[in-house]
Amino acid sequence: MSKTTAAITAVGGYVPKFVLTNNMLEDMVDTNDEWIISRTGIKERRVLKPEEGQGTSYLAIKAAEDLIQKKNIDPKEIDLVIIATATPDSMVASTAAFVASEIGAVNAFAYDLLAACSSFLFGMSTAASYIESGRYKKVLLIGADKMSSIIDYTDRTTCIIFGDGAGAALFEPNEEGLGLQDEYLRADGTGRQFLGMDAGGSLMPATEETVKNRKHFIYQEGRTVFKFAVSNMANVAETIMKRNNLEHTDVSWLVPHQANKRIIDATANRMGLEDSKVLMNIERYGNTTSATLPLLLADFESQMKKGDNLVFAAFGGGFTWGSIYLKWAY
Ligand code: UT7
């Protein structure tokens, strides 16, 4: 009997309507369009405006609904909903539980998975394991982040990079050997000082001081994070290729976290890939944290063919990073 693998059988995506352009940011902080494009590759990003009164769940629900409608599935058949995110609606109550109820996945259990920009990548491993074990048949993994809720729009080192969005992927059993093939996932907690948000957790609960000192916004030591990201993302992608005897000609698509075009280019270079195989939408959305990978799948779904070899790679806060090799199933 052939081994059951875990395949992605449907994807969906959503970004908010409001477009925050580089030119608009020029009016908010000391920056310019040319610098942002040349240093990051970003031209614009989407923002869920505060006056809409919605959290990350809103983005996740829209992405899930897009998937459900395209695939025409009955949400009652979904066994598990995982929300990969760095910006849950609130502490304590699971955002995924709310999303599951709202989309009609009334028979599912649900929880959130937090690993900064690697949340979706690590979630792929989690979702696939449930399927491979035979325990569940339909796992909905959603990467969603309302980064604008933790961005300081007076800090030019972060506000130019991040945007809001969500993407969803359905994992189901496959008997043809398609789906997740291999993974190489890493973490190094010494990195938490270089990228994160100081206050609002159990270590530094909210006080008047933390608000006054802008500790509820994300910070990053860009240059240090860049150095770690650029070498580690390339390293893990190279490891996955070697371990699976993949030559550059065998790789159909690189699906890289969208943090900085220069990091993506370095990873693709190390893998020996031409530009046409590198999925990118950073110019339109910026860095949507947990949503970058599934949004790429949603945007480029029509170009993928059954049996295509996809290499995912991500790097994020924590530090957390890794690579996954997956065969496209439809
Ligand atoms: O997704 C999670 C993981 N995150 C990442 O992978 C992000 C990794 N880091 C980066 O992508 C880059 O480090 C940034 C895009 C954040 C910054 O680019 P950089 O090339 O590393 O710039 P830098 O911080 O080394 O700064 C270079 C110069 C500095 O000026 P001086 O000291 O050379 O005079 C900065 O003050 O650029 C200046 N600068 C800016 N100028 C215009 C920094 N931010 C800006 C800005 N506009 N927004």
Side-chain angles (χ1 to χ4, degrees), residues 29-32 35-36 39-40 117 156-157 160-162 195 220-226 229 257-260 262-263 287 289 315-317:
V29 289
D30 180 14
T31 191
N32 60 80
W35 190 95
I36 301 173
R39 304 309 290 167
T40 69
C117 294
R156 71 176 181 172
T157 68
I160 57 144
I161 298 168
F162 292 96
L195 171 56
Q220 76 166 341
E221 222 180 280
R223 215 174 289 191
T224 310
V225 179
F226 184 90
H257 175 51
Q258 309 282 295
N260 187 315
R262 290 183 290 143
I263 300 174
N287 181 351
T289 303
F315 185 91

Short mmCIF file of all heavy atoms in Angstrom, two decimals, residues 29-32 35-36 39-40 117 156-157 160-162 195 220-226 229 257-260 262-263 287 289 315-317, ligand 1:
data_model
loop_
_atom_site.label_atom_id
_atom_site.label_comp_id
_atom_site.label_asym_id
_atom_site.label_seq_id
_atom_site.Cartn_x
_atom_site.Cartn_y
_atom_site.Cartn_z
N VAL A 29 7.07 59.82 7.00
CA VAL A 29 8.41 59.68 7.59
C VAL A 29 9.45 60.15 6.58
O VAL A 29 9.14 60.35 5.40
CB VAL A 29 8.71 58.21 7.99
CG1 VAL A 29 7.89 57.77 9.18
CG2 VAL A 29 8.52 57.26 6.81
N ASP A 30 10.70 60.29 7.06
CA ASP A 30 11.78 60.74 6.19
C ASP A 30 12.28 59.58 5.34
O ASP A 30 13.19 58.85 5.72
CB ASP A 30 12.91 61.30 7.07
CG ASP A 30 14.09 61.79 6.23
OD1 ASP A 30 13.92 61.95 5.00
OD2 ASP A 30 15.18 61.97 6.80
N THR A 31 11.63 59.38 4.21
CA THR A 31 12.03 58.29 3.31
C THR A 31 11.70 58.70 1.88
O THR A 31 11.17 59.80 1.65
CB THR A 31 11.29 56.98 3.68
OG1 THR A 31 11.88 55.90 2.96
CG2 THR A 31 9.80 57.03 3.35
N ASN A 32 12.02 57.86 0.92
CA ASN A 32 11.63 58.18 -0.46
C ASN A 32 11.43 56.91 -1.26
O ASN A 32 12.02 55.86 -0.95
CB ASN A 32 12.65 59.13 -1.12
CG ASN A 32 14.03 58.50 -1.16
OD1 ASN A 32 14.31 57.67 -2.02
ND2 ASN A 32 14.88 58.86 -0.20
N TRP A 35 14.53 54.94 -2.50
CA TRP A 35 15.24 54.17 -1.46
C TRP A 35 14.47 52.89 -1.16
O TRP A 35 15.05 51.80 -1.11
CB TRP A 35 15.39 55.00 -0.17
CG TRP A 35 16.31 54.35 0.85
CD1 TRP A 35 17.63 54.60 1.03
CD2 TRP A 35 15.97 53.32 1.81
NE1 TRP A 35 18.15 53.80 2.02
CE2 TRP A 35 17.15 53.00 2.53
CE3 TRP A 35 14.80 52.64 2.13
CZ2 TRP A 35 17.19 52.06 3.55
CZ3 TRP A 35 14.85 51.68 3.14
CH2 TRP A 35 16.02 51.40 3.85
N ILE A 36 13.16 53.01 -0.98
CA ILE A 36 12.37 51.83 -0.59
C ILE A 36 12.44 50.77 -1.69
O ILE A 36 12.67 49.58 -1.42
CB ILE A 36 10.90 52.21 -0.28
CG1 ILE A 36 10.83 53.22 0.85
CG2 ILE A 36 10.10 50.96 0.10
CD1 ILE A 36 9.43 53.78 1.11
N ARG A 39 16.12 49.27 -1.90
CA ARG A 39 16.58 48.50 -0.73
C ARG A 39 15.67 47.32 -0.41
O ARG A 39 16.09 46.39 0.28
CB ARG A 39 16.69 49.38 0.52
CG ARG A 39 17.59 50.60 0.40
CD ARG A 39 18.94 50.28 -0.15
NE ARG A 39 19.78 49.52 0.76
CZ ARG A 39 20.91 48.92 0.41
NH1 ARG A 39 21.32 48.97 -0.84
NH2 ARG A 39 21.62 48.26 1.30
N THR A 40 14.39 47.36 -0.86
CA THR A 40 13.46 46.29 -0.45
C THR A 40 12.68 45.66 -1.62
O THR A 40 12.21 44.54 -1.49
CB THR A 40 12.39 46.82 0.54
OG1 THR A 40 11.51 47.71 -0.16
CG2 THR A 40 13.03 47.54 1.71
N CYS A 117 7.44 35.27 11.12
CA CYS A 117 7.32 35.12 9.67
C CYS A 117 7.39 33.67 9.21
O CYS A 117 7.12 33.38 8.05
CB CYS A 117 8.40 35.94 8.97
SG CYS A 117 8.18 37.70 9.20
N ARG A 156 10.58 54.86 10.38
CA ARG A 156 10.81 54.54 8.95
C ARG A 156 11.50 53.20 8.75
O ARG A 156 11.52 52.68 7.64
CB ARG A 156 11.63 55.65 8.30
CG ARG A 156 13.08 55.70 8.75
CD ARG A 156 13.84 56.76 7.97
NE ARG A 156 15.25 56.80 8.38
CZ ARG A 156 16.17 57.50 7.79
NH1 ARG A 156 15.85 58.27 6.77
NH2 ARG A 156 17.41 57.48 8.21
N THR A 157 12.09 52.65 9.82
CA THR A 157 12.78 51.37 9.63
C THR A 157 11.81 50.18 9.56
O THR A 157 12.18 49.11 9.12
CB THR A 157 13.83 51.10 10.74
OG1 THR A 157 13.14 50.89 11.97
CG2 THR A 157 14.80 52.25 10.89
N ILE A 160 7.84 51.07 6.38
CA ILE A 160 7.92 50.94 4.92
C ILE A 160 7.81 49.48 4.47
O ILE A 160 7.56 49.20 3.31
CB ILE A 160 9.25 51.51 4.39
CG1 ILE A 160 10.44 50.80 5.09
CG2 ILE A 160 9.35 53.01 4.61
CD1 ILE A 160 11.60 50.58 4.20
N ILE A 161 8.03 48.57 5.39
CA ILE A 161 8.17 47.15 5.01
C ILE A 161 6.85 46.38 5.05
O ILE A 161 6.55 45.61 4.14
CB ILE A 161 9.18 46.45 5.96
CG1 ILE A 161 10.55 47.10 5.81
CG2 ILE A 161 9.25 44.96 5.68
CD1 ILE A 161 11.52 46.67 6.88
N PHE A 162 6.09 46.57 6.15
CA PHE A 162 5.01 45.62 6.42
C PHE A 162 3.65 46.03 5.84
O PHE A 162 3.35 47.21 5.68
CB PHE A 162 4.88 45.42 7.94
CG PHE A 162 6.05 44.72 8.53
CD1 PHE A 162 7.10 45.44 9.12
CD2 PHE A 162 6.16 43.35 8.48
CE1 PHE A 162 8.21 44.79 9.65
CE2 PHE A 162 7.27 42.68 9.01
CZ PHE A 162 8.29 43.41 9.60
N LEU A 195 14.47 41.32 16.65
CA LEU A 195 13.20 41.50 15.92
C LEU A 195 12.06 41.05 16.83
O LEU A 195 12.01 39.89 17.23
CB LEU A 195 13.22 40.66 14.63
CG LEU A 195 11.94 40.51 13.83
CD1 LEU A 195 11.35 41.86 13.44
CD2 LEU A 195 12.20 39.70 12.57
N GLN A 220 12.86 46.27 14.69
CA GLN A 220 13.86 45.31 14.22
C GLN A 220 15.18 46.01 13.96
O GLN A 220 15.22 47.16 13.54
CB GLN A 220 13.38 44.54 12.99
CG GLN A 220 13.39 45.27 11.68
CD GLN A 220 13.22 44.34 10.49
OE1 GLN A 220 13.43 43.14 10.57
NE2 GLN A 220 12.85 44.90 9.35
N GLU A 221 16.24 45.29 14.26
CA GLU A 221 17.57 45.77 13.92
C GLU A 221 17.82 45.25 12.51
O GLU A 221 18.34 44.14 12.32
CB GLU A 221 18.57 45.17 14.92
CG GLU A 221 19.60 46.16 15.39
CD GLU A 221 20.55 45.51 16.36
OE1 GLU A 221 20.17 45.37 17.55
OE2 GLU A 221 21.65 45.12 15.94
N GLY A 222 17.37 46.05 11.54
CA GLY A 222 17.27 45.59 10.15
C GLY A 222 18.52 44.93 9.61
O GLY A 222 18.46 43.85 9.01
N ARG A 223 19.67 45.61 9.83
CA ARG A 223 20.90 45.11 9.23
C ARG A 223 21.27 43.73 9.77
O ARG A 223 21.69 42.85 9.03
CB ARG A 223 22.03 46.11 9.50
CG ARG A 223 23.00 46.21 8.37
CD ARG A 223 24.01 47.31 8.59
NE ARG A 223 23.44 48.66 8.47
CZ ARG A 223 24.19 49.76 8.42
NH1 ARG A 223 25.49 49.67 8.50
NH2 ARG A 223 23.62 50.94 8.30
N THR A 224 21.10 43.53 11.10
CA THR A 224 21.43 42.23 11.71
C THR A 224 20.48 41.16 11.20
O THR A 224 20.90 40.06 10.82
CB THR A 224 21.30 42.32 13.25
OG1 THR A 224 22.02 43.46 13.69
CG2 THR A 224 21.81 41.07 13.93
N VAL A 225 19.17 41.49 11.18
CA VAL A 225 18.19 40.50 10.71
C VAL A 225 18.48 40.15 9.26
O VAL A 225 18.42 38.98 8.86
CB VAL A 225 16.75 41.05 10.86
CG1 VAL A 225 15.74 40.03 10.34
CG2 VAL A 225 16.45 41.37 12.32
N PHE A 226 18.82 41.16 8.48
CA PHE A 226 19.12 40.94 7.07
C PHE A 226 20.25 39.92 6.91
O PHE A 226 20.14 38.97 6.13
CB PHE A 226 19.51 42.27 6.40
CG PHE A 226 19.74 42.17 4.92
CD1 PHE A 226 18.69 42.35 4.03
CD2 PHE A 226 20.99 41.86 4.41
CE1 PHE A 226 18.89 42.24 2.66
CE2 PHE A 226 21.20 41.74 3.05
CZ PHE A 226 20.15 41.94 2.17
N ALA A 229 19.05 36.49 7.83
CA ALA A 229 18.04 36.01 6.88
C ALA A 229 18.69 35.60 5.57
O ALA A 229 18.40 34.54 5.01
CB ALA A 229 16.99 37.09 6.64
N HIS A 257 9.56 33.60 1.49
CA HIS A 257 8.99 34.66 2.32
C HIS A 257 9.34 36.01 1.72
O HIS A 257 10.47 36.22 1.26
CB HIS A 257 9.55 34.53 3.74
CG HIS A 257 9.12 35.64 4.64
ND1 HIS A 257 7.80 36.00 4.79
CD2 HIS A 257 9.83 36.48 5.44
CE1 HIS A 257 7.72 37.01 5.64
NE2 HIS A 257 8.94 37.32 6.04
N GLN A 258 8.36 36.91 1.72
CA GLN A 258 8.54 38.21 1.06
C GLN A 258 8.93 39.28 2.08
O GLN A 258 8.09 40.09 2.51
CB GLN A 258 7.25 38.61 0.33
CG GLN A 258 6.70 37.54 -0.59
CD GLN A 258 7.44 37.43 -1.92
OE1 GLN A 258 7.42 38.35 -2.72
NE2 GLN A 258 8.11 36.31 -2.13
N ALA A 259 10.19 39.28 2.50
CA ALA A 259 10.65 40.29 3.46
C ALA A 259 11.47 41.37 2.78
O ALA A 259 11.40 42.54 3.15
CB ALA A 259 11.48 39.64 4.56
N ASN A 260 12.24 40.95 1.77
CA ASN A 260 13.13 41.89 1.09
C ASN A 260 13.56 41.23 -0.22
O ASN A 260 14.03 40.09 -0.21
CB ASN A 260 14.35 42.18 1.99
CG ASN A 260 15.22 43.28 1.41
OD1 ASN A 260 15.53 43.29 0.23
ND2 ASN A 260 15.60 44.20 2.27
N ARG A 262 16.06 41.62 -1.96
CA ARG A 262 17.48 41.26 -2.00
C ARG A 262 17.72 39.91 -1.33
O ARG A 262 18.60 39.15 -1.74
CB ARG A 262 18.33 42.35 -1.34
CG ARG A 262 18.37 43.64 -2.17
CD ARG A 262 19.27 44.68 -1.52
NE ARG A 262 18.70 45.22 -0.31
CZ ARG A 262 19.39 45.54 0.79
NH1 ARG A 262 20.69 45.35 0.84
NH2 ARG A 262 18.78 46.05 1.84
N ILE A 263 16.93 39.60 -0.28
CA ILE A 263 17.06 38.28 0.38
C ILE A 263 16.55 37.19 -0.56
O ILE A 263 17.15 36.12 -0.68
CB ILE A 263 16.28 38.27 1.72
CG1 ILE A 263 16.83 39.33 2.67
CG2 ILE A 263 16.34 36.88 2.37
CD1 ILE A 263 16.02 39.50 3.96
N ASN A 287 5.76 43.06 3.19
CA ASN A 287 5.92 41.87 4.02
C ASN A 287 4.65 41.68 4.86
O ASN A 287 4.41 42.43 5.80
CB ASN A 287 7.15 42.04 4.92
CG ASN A 287 7.42 40.84 5.81
OD1 ASN A 287 6.60 39.92 5.89
ND2 ASN A 287 8.55 40.85 6.47
N THR A 289 4.07 39.08 6.70
CA THR A 289 4.45 38.14 7.77
C THR A 289 3.92 36.72 7.51
O THR A 289 4.43 36.05 6.62
CB THR A 289 4.04 38.71 9.14
OG1 THR A 289 4.68 39.97 9.26
CG2 THR A 289 4.52 37.87 10.32
N PHE A 315 12.18 33.10 6.70
CA PHE A 315 13.00 33.49 7.85
C PHE A 315 12.24 34.55 8.63
O PHE A 315 11.67 35.46 8.03
CB PHE A 315 14.35 34.05 7.40
CG PHE A 315 15.26 34.34 8.57
CD1 PHE A 315 16.14 33.37 9.04
CD2 PHE A 315 15.20 35.57 9.22
CE1 PHE A 315 16.94 33.63 10.14
CE2 PHE A 315 16.01 35.83 10.32
CZ PHE A 315 16.88 34.85 10.78
N GLY A 316 12.23 34.43 9.97
CA GLY A 316 11.49 35.44 10.74
C GLY A 316 11.94 35.56 12.18
O GLY A 316 12.92 34.93 12.60
N GLY A 317 11.21 36.36 12.90
CA GLY A 317 11.52 36.69 14.29
C GLY A 317 11.61 35.44 15.15
O GLY A 317 11.02 34.40 14.87
O1 UT7 B 1 10.27 39.24 7.82
C1 UT7 B 1 11.02 39.10 8.97
C2 UT7 B 1 12.47 39.19 8.70
N1 UT7 B 1 12.83 40.54 8.35
C3 UT7 B 1 13.72 40.74 7.42
O2 UT7 B 1 14.20 39.82 6.81
C4 UT7 B 1 14.17 42.17 7.19
C5 UT7 B 1 15.66 42.22 7.02
N2 UT7 B 1 16.20 43.56 6.89
C6 UT7 B 1 15.99 44.33 5.80
O3 UT7 B 1 15.24 43.99 4.91
C7 UT7 B 1 16.79 45.59 5.68
O4 UT7 B 1 17.77 45.61 6.69
C8 UT7 B 1 15.93 46.90 5.79
C9 UT7 B 1 15.09 47.05 4.55
C10 UT7 B 1 15.09 46.87 7.03
C11 UT7 B 1 16.88 48.10 5.82
O5 UT7 B 1 17.72 48.12 4.70
P1 UT7 B 1 19.31 48.24 4.88
O6 UT7 B 1 19.88 48.28 3.53
O7 UT7 B 1 19.76 47.14 5.80
O8 UT7 B 1 19.45 49.65 5.55
P2 UT7 B 1 20.22 50.04 6.87
O9 UT7 B 1 19.38 49.78 8.07
O10 UT7 B 1 21.61 49.46 6.84
O11 UT7 B 1 20.34 51.60 6.66
C12 UT7 B 1 21.10 52.17 5.55
C13 UT7 B 1 20.87 53.66 5.54
C14 UT7 B 1 21.01 54.29 6.92
O12 UT7 B 1 21.59 55.57 6.74
P3 UT7 B 1 23.16 55.81 7.00
O13 UT7 B 1 23.39 55.38 8.42
O14 UT7 B 1 23.85 54.92 6.01
O15 UT7 B 1 23.30 57.26 6.75
C15 UT7 B 1 19.60 54.45 7.39
O16 UT7 B 1 19.44 55.49 8.31
O17 UT7 B 1 19.53 53.94 5.12
C16 UT7 B 1 18.87 54.72 6.12
N3 UT7 B 1 17.46 54.32 6.16
C17 UT7 B 1 16.53 54.85 5.37
N4 UT7 B 1 16.57 55.80 4.44
C18 UT7 B 1 15.44 56.12 3.80
C19 UT7 B 1 16.91 53.38 6.94
N5 UT7 B 1 15.59 53.28 6.67
C20 UT7 B 1 15.34 54.20 5.70
C21 UT7 B 1 14.18 54.57 5.00
N6 UT7 B 1 14.26 55.54 4.07
N7 UT7 B 1 12.97 53.99 5.24
#
